[in-house]
Every structure is written in C-alpha cells, then in structure tokens.
Amino acid sequence: MTRLLVAALSGLLMLSACSSSSAPPQVNRSSPEPTPAAADKRSALRLRLATQYLEARQYPVALTEVEQAISIDRSNVDAYHVRALIYMGMNQNAQAEDSFRTALNMRPNDPDVLNNYGSLLCQTNRYADAKAMLERAVQVPSPNGPVKPLTNLGNCDLRNGNLAAAEKNLQTAYGYDRNDPSVLMNLAQLYFKRGDMGQARQYAGRINGSQFVSAQSLWLGARIAHRQGDAQAQGALVSELRSRFPDSRELTAYERGAWDE
C-alpha cells in the first residue's frame, strides 16, 4: 500500500522539481540570507530524498530527510504529508495523525491527504471517522478521479463487515477504472468473503494474468480454487506462488494449511 501512496506523491514532487529548475535565481552576494526560491529548492530536494527513502522503506533515514525539508520550509504541505506516511510505515500512528492534521490545516481539500488520512483511520479501526474522511476525498475534484478514495472506502467497509456498502463503493470505483489492480483485488476479496466463488475467481484471475500479480493475489486464487474443488487450478497457482514468491507469508500460510484464515 505504501508504494502506491508514494507513487501518488512522486509526480507532484517531480513537477515541483521541474518548475524550480528552469533558471537559477539571481542572488545578492552581499547578503548571507538565502532567497525564498533557494530555500524552496533545498526543501524540495530534501523532500524528494525523503520520498525515495520512504519508497525503499528506510524509514529512519526518510524521517531525517523530511524533518530537514520542514525545517527549511515550514509551509511545505507535502513534507508534512510525506512525514505522515513515514510514521504510518513505522507504525507510529499518533505521530502520523498529527502530521496529517497539520497538512490538512494548511490545505483542507487535498484529495491525497484526505485519502491517506482516511486509510490510517480505517487501519486503526476508527471506521466512522475513516468513512467521513474518505467520503470527503471522493467529493474533492482530483486529476486522477475518485478511484483511490472509493477503493479505500470499499476496503474499509469490507474490514468493518459491511459487504453491501463495500460492493457499492468498489463497483463504483470499477466503473471509473476496470483495470486498477487494487479495485480488482478488493472485489475478489469481497466476493470470496461473501461466498460467490465465481465472481471472486473472475476478478482474482484478471490480476493473476497481469503484470500486477502478487503473492496475495495468487494465494487468494488458490483459496478460491480450493473452495471450488478445482485441484488442477489450485496446484498451478500454488506452484506459481512457490516459484515467484518463495519467501512470502502467503506461501507459509499454504504450507500450514491455512485455507480459511
């Protein structure tokens, strides 16, 4: 999940870099004070480094870099957002929430901040607060549309056991993007949980036949085949899981016979 969140920020950071790299600012060499433009560039550089370390899951180094970005420019909203994601990766949820709140105080209608804050609230089982935050994210216009917050909203409904609401939100997301791997995976999990193995197999199969195949999707496909009594499909999926993801938790679950966990 973290990689997807970081990817959503990468384009923004790259755009910031491009916009600040056109022509160097004129510096008055008689003054030791850096210009605002120079400070912005330094903060943006630290933020890009922090994002790269976050993507690599090197959280302590990422935190050091983002703190430097903030100390250089305390108005850098994206730095507070990235710091929240770093704290999420470190399972320091209180600090993550504090950073999300700071970012939202500065930019109340940022769809990515709303979406990611809603995800944190859902992960900490604060479902009512999460739903309100994610619904705000859905309503805010975004260049990428509402697929991500709708998917997270559906996932949160699924975690909370509200299968009808989960289906509604996930199918709405599917209407916007029929190839989004997160939408497909959540739909597969939804129908598996509901006991509709035909639908679950359809969505899981689309992921497993694509570049987005993962240990999670292969294991879910194997569990679906197991429920259907399709030993041939089950064996093929487990074989692929073993060859492609030999160190995965999902392969360990198979070896334990944890078909219903």
Side-chain angles (χ1 to χ4, degrees):
M1 178 181 183
T2 301
R3 290 184 178 275
L4 293 177
L5 301 181
V6 172
L9 287 170
S10 296
L12 175 63
L13 300 180
M14 289 173 64
L15 181 61
S16 173
C18 292
S19 65
S20 63
S21 61
S22 52
Q26 297 297 318
V27 178
N28 182 356
R29 298 189 182 280
S30 65
S31 171
E33 295 296 325
T35 66
D40 288 347
K41 289 177 69 174
R42 288 167 54 223
S43 182
L45 174 60
R46 292 295 184 183
L47 184 54
R48 286 196 298 275
L49 289 171
T51 303
Q52 291 167 6
Y53 284 119
L54 169 59
E55 191 170 23
R57 301 187 181 185
Q58 297 183 35
Y59 301 123
V61 185
L63 185 60
T64 298
E65 293 293 345
V66 82
E67 292 288 9
Q68 292 192 48
I70 291 170
S71 70
I72 294 167
D73 180 5
R74 296 193 177 278
S75 67
N76 191 335
V77 181
D78 298 315
Y80 293 101
H81 187 187
V82 170
R83 187 172 70 176
L85 299 179
I86 294 168
Y87 279 131
M88 282 181 70
M90 298 172 73
N91 293 317
Q92 296 184 17
N93 295 330
Q95 292 91 329
E97 185 165 3
D98 182 68
S99 291
F100 276 129
R101 286 177 173 173
T102 301
L104 283 178
N105 284 337
M106 299 168 72
R107 193 189 290 161
N109 291 318
D110 187 303
D112 290 325
V113 177
L114 290 167
N115 176 56
N116 293 336
Y117 188 13
S119 295
L120 172 67
L121 293 170
C122 185
Q123 289 174 31
T124 54
N125 302 324
R126 294 161 60 185
Y127 296 118
D129 292 338
K131 190 175 183 69
M133 193 68 62
L134 291 167
E135 286 176 344
R136 279 180 62 189
V138 169
Q139 295 301 318
V140 174
S142 168
N144 300 317
V147 174
K148 287 191 293 184
L150 279 168
T151 304
N152 282 334
L153 193 54
N155 176 267
C156 199
D157 287 324
L158 190 58
R159 285 173 58 100
N160 197 27
N162 191 342
L163 301 188
E167 182 176 29
K168 178 182 177 181
N169 287 310
L170 291 171
Q171 286 291 353
T172 302
Y174 183 69
Y176 282 99
D177 187 346
R178 294 176 176 270
N179 297 308
D180 186 286
S182 183
V183 176
L184 296 172
M185 188 65 191
N186 275 281
L187 282 168
Q189 290 173 325
L190 165 68
Y191 290 116
F192 179 80
K193 193 168 185 177
R194 179 177 283 175
D196 186 343
M197 295 303 137
Q199 287 269 61
R201 185 167 185 164
Q202 173 189 337
Y203 290 112
R206 288 188 56 193
I207 305 171
N208 289 330
S210 76
Q211 62 179 315
F212 301 108
V213 60
S214 65
Q216 186 183 22
S217 65
L218 288 169
W219 175 229
L220 179 59
R223 294 170 71 200
I224 294 166
H226 180 76
R227 287 276 187 95
Q228 293 181 313
D230 188 340
Q232 182 176 358
Q234 174 188 314
L237 288 160
V238 169
S239 178
E240 186 174 357
L241 175 63
R242 189 185 302 279
S243 64
R244 299 183 67 163
F245 305 100
D247 300 319
S248 65
R249 291 177 300 174
E250 288 78 9
L251 183 59
T252 301
Y254 163 72
E255 292 170 343
R256 289 192 293 107
W259 294 102
D260 297 320
E261 288 186 4

